[in-house]
Amino acid sequence: MSWGYDSGFLRAGLELPVASVETVLLDYTHFSVRLRPDRKLAAIVGVNINGRELDPLAREGTWHFDPRVPKEQQAGPEVYKNNAFDRGHLVRRLDPVWGDAVTAKKANQDTFAFTNAAPQIDDFNQGKELWVGLEDHVLGHADTFDARLSVFTGPVFRDDDPPYRGVQVPRKFWKIAAWTNDAELGAVGFVVDQTSLLDKVELEKATRRRLLEDEPPPLGPFRTFQVPIQDIADLTGLPLDGLVDADRLARGQRALGEKPKAVYLESADQIRL
């Protein structure tokens, strides 16, 4: 059984980025979480996906605290009770579910740890469908080579994120998918924004007023954008140098004499690989 994110999973090698703030590294089956205890949420998660061995297990799992971390450092069930927040899987449930039957079942249950969840408004519409389908599309591309992906996901933390039941709710989330072609690393990055949907939850009055006074978010409500990975590095403060160098979007735009910029996606076919 493979335990934790494996930096050697891709032929080019790829380490799990380390946040500049204090985090706790938690290894699970085929994935790892760097938890920020001060935010009660993951700063980054990394998962290895073996597309040729994926096991399409039914959605069965029990949300649970990770006993290795004090409960008060995890955003638990009280954050999600009787409101519009979903327990949003950061490592997508089926991503680490591969290998033999025992390993796949363990990986499935591991994804239901509260350390792998973040509060996301339930009303994603097409944006959510596209967001969760990005890896499938990139995996199809990777299948030409070795059918393997390493995927990183996390929230964009800001000091003024709105407080709710003891947790500051992230407005934006990001995802990076990486693969290798003859040992050359390729990567693509994506961002979604839930700011304008947060009025579905009874936030503190001062917070609600401030959000309403803010200019509309540039990305729109759960619209999905492919973005230069450098933008994700700037937003998160994570060291993503190797992934920035491997960014297929930025490389293609520079080849056309363009400055790297975000591209709004209405379908997965628009992803620039």
Side-chain angles (χ1 to χ4, degrees):
M1 181 181 295
S2 178
W3 189 244
Y5 172 84
D6 178 5
S7 61
F9 186 71
L10 300 181
R11 284 175 288 170
L14 189 60
E15 297 290 336
L16 178 66
V18 179
S20 60
V21 297
E22 180 184 358
T23 59
V24 178
L25 177 63
L26 301 168
D27 290 331
Y28 301 91
T29 308
H30 298 150
F31 71 96
S32 295
V33 170
R34 292 195 188 278
L35 180 73
R36 269 190 63 168
D38 63 322
R39 292 296 298 255
K40 304 181 183 181
L41 300 169
I44 181 173
V45 300
V47 59
N48 304 124
I49 307 173
N50 188 333
R52 291 179 180 166
E53 295 185 24
L54 287 172
D55 188 338
L57 290 179
R59 186 182 177 87
E60 295 180 358
T62 303
W63 285 101
H64 60 280
F65 289 103
D66 189 316
R68 296 171 292 180
V69 181
K71 288 184 178 180
E72 60 269 21
Q73 295 179 2
Q74 304 175 58
E78 68 282 354
V79 176
Y80 306 96
K81 186 177 180 180
N82 299 326
N83 57 34
F85 279 132
D86 277 346
R87 300 172 180 88
H89 277 78
L90 293 175
V91 168
R92 193 174 57 160
R93 182 183 68 85
L94 287 176
D95 282 357
V97 181
W98 53 271
D100 61 68
V102 173
T103 301
K105 185 176 181 179
K106 179 66 167 60
N108 178 75
Q109 176 59 18
D110 281 355
T111 67
F112 284 90
F114 281 117
T115 53
N116 184 45
Q120 296 180 338
I121 294 295
D122 55 9
D123 187 16
F124 290 3
N125 297 319
Q126 179 183 346
K128 181 178 180 182
E129 294 175 12
L130 179 56
W131 176 248
V132 300
L134 293 173
E135 293 162 34
D136 289 335
H137 184 83
V138 179
L139 188 62
H141 175 77
D143 186 56
T144 305
F145 312 115
D146 59 11
R148 292 185 172 212
L149 293 180
S150 287
V151 176
F152 308 105
T153 308
V156 176
F157 290 129
R158 288 177 43 175
D159 292 340
D160 63 349
D161 284 333
Y164 182 76
R165 298 182 181 178
V167 174
Q168 285 183 272
V169 178
R171 296 178 173 95
K172 298 177 183 178
F173 296 88
W174 59 271
K175 183 187 297 290
I176 297 173
W179 66 95
T180 51
N181 175 8
D182 295 329
E184 180 183 5
L185 187 66
V188 285
F190 309 93
V191 172
V192 293
D193 189 322
Q194 69 173 347
T195 303
S196 64
L197 298 179
L198 289 175
D199 60 1
K200 293 190 67 177
V201 177
E202 289 296 324
L203 300 172
E204 297 176 10
K205 290 184 179 180
T207 299
R208 179 184 294 274
R209 183 169 59 253
R210 175 170 51 78
L211 286 175
L212 291 174
E213 290 171 352
D214 283 348
E215 294 184 4
L219 300 183
F222 272 101
R223 291 181 178 177
T224 303
F225 276 65
Q226 183 174 357
V227 302
I229 294 174
Q230 182 62 58
D231 288 4
I232 297 175
D234 294 341
L235 283 170
T236 63
L238 290 167
L240 304 175
D241 295 351
L243 292 163
V244 169
D245 293 341
D247 186 0
R248 293 298 179 88
L249 173 66
R251 182 186 303 176
Q253 290 175 330
R254 289 194 187 97
L256 295 174
E258 303 174 358
K259 180 180 178 180
K261 61 183 179 181
V263 177
Y264 171 49
L265 301 177
E266 295 182 276
S267 72
D269 293 337
Q270 295 174 278
I271 297 172
R272 303 190 185 183
L273 299 172

